[in-house]
């Protein structure tokens, strides 16, 4: 049985195999992009500006009360600020006066963007983007040790 299958496969021209492989590869890429962009329909983009974001990367989590509610998809340096763009699930209501912080899981743990909710009105989801005005920068152990060293001198 196996030899018959091998003979049948060998009977086709190599250009036919190339066409089938190319079609498969294109379909695989198409499925990948569809799955990657599919969840953005249920998300709202956000923008937050920081001075220092050590440890934050693309695909870092956005958390509210320790629960993942979104992710970061772009980090840009603009003049003297770092602009972070990402997505937050639509099902969560975020107050406009919320404070966005960079937090660490443990001393040397992975960093995430954490939203501390305020008490004001919720963001208007019909505007299709959240702008966080109140942010708090990330500080690492290395920065703290340099600060202590400068005080000591």
């Amino acid at each position: 049985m196996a030899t018959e299958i091998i003979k049948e496969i060998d009977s086709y021209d190599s250009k036919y195999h190339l066409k089938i492989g190319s079609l498969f590869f294109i379909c695989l890429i198409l499925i990948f992009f569809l799955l990657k962009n599919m969840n953005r329909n249920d998300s709202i983009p956000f923008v937050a500006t920081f001075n220092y974001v050590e440890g934050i990367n693309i695909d870092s989590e956005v958390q509210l009360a320790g629960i993942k509610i979104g992710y970061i998809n772009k980090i840009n340096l603009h003049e003297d600020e770092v602009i972070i763009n990402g997505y937050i699930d639509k099902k969560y209501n975020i107050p406009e006066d919320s404070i966005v912080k960079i937090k660490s899981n443990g001393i040397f743990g992975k960093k995430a963007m954490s939203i501390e909710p305020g008490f004001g009105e919720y963001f208007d989801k019909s505007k299709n983007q959240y702008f966080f005005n109140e942010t708090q920068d990330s500080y690492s152990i290395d920065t703290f040790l340099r600060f202590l060293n400068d005080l000591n001198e």
Side-chain angles (χ1 to χ4, degrees), residues 28 30 44 49-50 70 82 86 88 90 94-96 107 109 126 140:
L28 203 62
L30 184 65
I44 296 177
T49 58
F50 293 90
V82 179
I88 295 175
K90 265 186 183 175
I94 312 289
E96 290 178 359
I107 295 175
S126 65
S140 66

Side-chain angles (χ1 to χ4, degrees), residues 2-14:
T3 55
E4 292 175 15
I5 293 173
I6 292 173
K7 285 181 186 178
E8 185 177 345
I9 291 173
D10 288 339
S11 69
Y12 292 111
D13 189 21
S14 63

